[in-house]
Amino acid sequence: MNITVFGTGYVGLVVGACLADGGHDVVCVDVDESRVAALQNGKVPIYEPGLESMVGRTLAEGHLQFTTDTARAVEFGQLLFIAVGTPPDDDGSVDLNQVLDVAAAIGKHMQTCQVIVIKSTVPVGTADTVRDVITLALARRGVELSFDVCSNPEFLKEGSAIEDFTRAARIVVGTDSVRVREVMLECYAPYNRKQYKMVFMDVRSAELTKYAANAMLATKISFMNEVANLAERVGADVEQVRRGIGSDPRIGYDFIYPGCGFGGSCLPKDLQALIRTADKASCDTSILRAVETVNRRQKGVLFEKLNHAFGGELRGKTIAVWGLAFKANTDDMREAPSRTLLEALWSAGASVQAFDPAAMEEAERIYGRREDLRLVRNRDDAVVGADALVICTEWNVFRTVEFGWLRSQLRQPVVVDGRNLFEPREMRRAGIRYYAVGRGEYAPSA
C-alpha cells in the first residue's frame, strides 16, 4: 500500500518506519524542514532502540521517504495517518491545533476517496471534528468527495516501541465502515499473521480505549506506591508483597513495581486529559484524581528521604544522581521524577553530579549550563566525592555495583533508591544507609 504519515515525532516516526519495514511504501511529512532533511539522511532525532537502523534500512530500500510537501503527501497515500503531537493546554485538556491543521490540509489537497487514520492520542469526539474540518475544506473548494475517518490509537511504550508495534497485543480500530475494516486489515497484514490481533469497535469507543488503558496503568502504579508507603509504616517489605499479589493471574506483575512515580509523555498527559473529558461530561472521576495526587506526592519521596537522612541540612552538599530519563531505554525527561528531585535539591542549596546513558543532552537542553549541575561521563564519575547517591532510573548499568567500592566513593554512606534495585540487607551489611521505597526505614514526610 501507499501510506502517508503526518508527523515525524515519536509516534509518527515509529509508525512510518514500521509500516515501511513491513513492505508498504511510506511518505512521512513534517513542516520542520531541518528535521525532514536530517531524517532523509537517516539521522533520527529521538532515542529509541532499533529505530535509527530501521529508518536507515527502509530509506535505502526505497520504502520510506520524508517530505515537507503536503500536497504531494496527500496525493500519495491510500491511507493518511495523522500522528502529530497533542500537547496539553495549561488546564490539562488536549491541544488539537496540530491535528486540525493536518485535517484542513487534507481537505485542501484531497483529490480522491481516501481513509484518514487518527493515530494521535485525542479526546472522544475528535474523529467527528476532523471529519467536519475536512468536509468544510472540500466545500470551500466546491468539491464533493467521499472519505472515511477512523480511530487507530497507538499503544507504544518508550524504549520498546518497535516491539510494541510489530508484536502488538492488540490493534484497535474504531470504524463503522466495512471498507475501512478491509483496508486496515491489509495495512496491518504484515504484523497480523500468526495471531489475529485486530479489535474493531465504534470510533468513540476506540478513542476512549486509549485513555482508559493508560489511566488503568497509571492507577496500578499509584496504587502500588501507596502500598509501599504503608509498608514502611507497618514494617513490611513491599517487594515481598508485590510478588505475593503479582502471582495472582487476575492482577499480574506488570506495572506493580513501586518507585518514585511515573512520568513521560503519555501517562501524566493522558490522565489529565481523561479527567478534563470527564469534567466536560459532568462525570465524577475520584479515582483518576486520586491517582494524579498520589503520583505528584510520590515524586517528592526521594527528596524527603534524602532530606531526612541529612537532618534537613542539605545546603552545600553534593548529591550524585543515577538516571535522569523518566524510565530506562529512553532520553525522555518529560515529567520525570528526576526533575522534581533536582529542582528540590537546588532549592535546598545542594549541587548535583548526574549521569544517564541517554538523557545527558536532554538534561542540558532543559537546564542549560549551571554551576550546581555537573553532567558526568559515567556512573562511577557521578559518585566520586559525592555526599550521597540517589537512583532515579532503572538502567541496567546501575543494577550491578560493588557495595564496598560505592561506600568508599561517598563522603557519607547514604543511598536513596527510587527503583528498589538492591537488597536492603546487603546494603546495610556493607555499611550503607539505604533508603528504598517500601522496603525499610520510614522517612517521615516534611
Side-chain angles (χ1 to χ4, degrees):
M1 302 181 75
N2 286 353
I3 296 172
T4 293
V5 178
F6 285 89
T8 61
Y10 185 83
V11 173
L13 196 51
V14 170
V15 169
C18 287
L19 289 174
D21 192 55
H24 298 301
D25 291 324
V26 179
V27 167
C28 292
V29 59
D30 202 294
V31 297
D32 188 331
E33 293 184 1
S34 61
R35 188 183 187 92
V36 167
L39 286 167
Q40 195 62 34
N41 288 319
K43 297 179 181 179
V44 174
I46 59 176
Y47 179 87
E48 178 62 37
L51 182 58
E52 189 164 68
S53 61
M54 181 178 282
V55 168
R57 182 174 65 253
T58 51
L59 275 170
E61 293 169 349
H63 288 301
L64 181 63
Q65 304 173 57
F66 297 94
T67 185
T68 58
D69 188 339
T70 303
R72 175 198 164 210
V74 172
E75 181 183 4
F76 178 83
Q78 300 162 259
L79 293 175
L80 307 178
F81 277 79
I82 300 178
V84 292
T86 52
D89 278 333
D90 292 338
D91 65 350
S93 59
V94 177
D95 181 349
L96 289 174
N97 284 330
Q98 294 182 57
V99 171
L100 300 183
D101 285 347
V102 172
I106 291 172
K108 178 180 179 181
H109 298 293
M110 183 185 290
Q111 301 293 337
T112 187
C113 176
Q114 291 166 297
V115 176
I116 292 85
V117 184
I118 302 178
K119 198 73 175 175
S120 302
T121 300
V122 295
V124 176
T126 300
D128 293 336
T129 305
V130 166
R131 182 186 303 278
D132 292 343
V133 170
I134 295 173
T135 299
L136 179 60
L138 290 172
R140 286 173 174 167
R141 294 167 52 201
V143 174
E144 289 188 17
L145 288 172
S146 64
F147 64 93
D148 291 288
V149 179
C150 74
S151 173
N152 176 216
E154 55 87 9
F155 299 97
L156 307 176
K157 298 188 298 294
E158 293 187 50
S160 60
I162 291 176
E163 179 83 4
D164 291 339
F165 189 97
T166 59
R167 299 186 180 183
R170 78 288 201 196
I171 302 169
V172 173
V173 177
T175 183
D176 295 320
S177 165
V178 173
R179 171 175 171 265
V180 171
R181 289 170 65 105
E182 291 174 350
V183 296
M184 293 301 284
L185 280 167
E186 183 180 353
C187 173
Y188 282 107
Y191 304 117
N192 193 41
R193 297 191 186 282
K194 293 184 179 180
Q195 178 184 351
Y196 187 79
K197 302 173 183 176
M198 306 297 290
V199 181
F200 290 101
M201 59 184 70
D202 67 84
V203 174
R204 287 185 171 233
S205 295
E207 290 171 331
L208 183 56
T209 294
K210 164 66 183 200
Y211 284 108
N214 276 353
M216 175 60 78
L217 299 177
T219 300
K220 292 181 74 174
I221 295 170
S222 280
F223 171 80
M224 207 62 202
N225 282 333
E226 284 216 322
V227 171
N229 295 336
L230 175 60
E232 289 185 354
R233 288 160 172 77
V234 300
D237 184 343
V238 75
E239 284 298 301
Q240 296 182 41
V241 175
R242 181 185 63 80
R243 291 193 291 270
I245 65 174
S247 59
D248 185 333
R250 297 171 300 174
I251 299 172
Y253 289 104
D254 291 339
F255 285 83
I256 62 167
Y257 288 84
C260 48
F262 57 80
S265 63
C266 292
L267 296 193
K269 175 175 75 75
D270 292 353
L271 186 63
Q272 286 187 1
L274 187 56
I275 291 171
R276 299 300 172 265
T277 297
D279 288 344
K280 292 178 181 178
S282 300
C283 179
D284 180 59
T285 52
S286 300
I287 291 177
L288 300 182
R289 293 179 188 278
V291 169
E292 191 174 40
T293 299
V294 169
N295 190 58
R296 190 182 306 114
R297 184 176 66 224
Q298 197 69 15
K299 288 182 180 180
V301 162
L302 298 180
F303 178 78
E304 289 177 6
K305 290 177 180 291
L306 188 66
N307 198 43
H308 170 75
F310 283 89
E313 297 295 330
L314 286 170
R315 181 167 298 278
K317 298 293 191 293
T318 299
I319 308 301
V321 175
W322 281 359
L324 297 168
F326 83 95
K327 69 173 186 177
N329 296 317
T330 182
D331 61 353
D332 194 344
M333 287 182 63
R334 284 174 288 185
E335 302 282 344
S338 66
R339 296 180 66 169
T340 302
L341 172 68
L342 295 185
E343 289 159 22
L345 287 171
W346 293 330
S347 294
S351 60
V352 173
Q353 298 178 172
F355 171 72
D356 186 286
M360 303 292 273
E361 290 185 8
E362 180 66 3
E364 186 167 340
R365 184 191 70 80
I366 293 169
Y367 293 116
R369 297 188 178 184
R370 46 188 298 164
E371 293 183 358
D372 50 9
L373 173 61
R374 181 169 166 247
L375 298 172
V376 299
R377 296 175 300 173
N378 54 56
R379 66 162 203 184
D380 293 358
D381 286 351
V383 298
V384 173
D387 290 286
L389 167 66
V390 182
I391 302 171
C392 293
T393 315
E394 68 280 19
W395 288 94
N396 283 336
V397 70
F398 303 146
R399 292 180 181 273
T400 303
V401 61
E402 205 284 304
F403 298 148
W405 168 85
L406 179 60
R407 187 181 187 282
S408 71
Q409 300 302 303
L410 297 171
R411 291 175 182 165
Q412 301 191 45
V414 174
V415 173
V416 178
D417 184 356
R419 299 299 178 179
N420 288 356
L421 299 186
F422 307 119
E423 280 297 323
R425 187 178 305 171
E426 294 179 11
M427 293 291 274
R428 295 189 188 105
R429 189 179 297 134
I432 294 173
R433 294 170 58 195
Y434 181 65
Y435 298 87
V437 180
R439 303 204 66 190
E441 179 182 347
Y442 165 54
S445 299

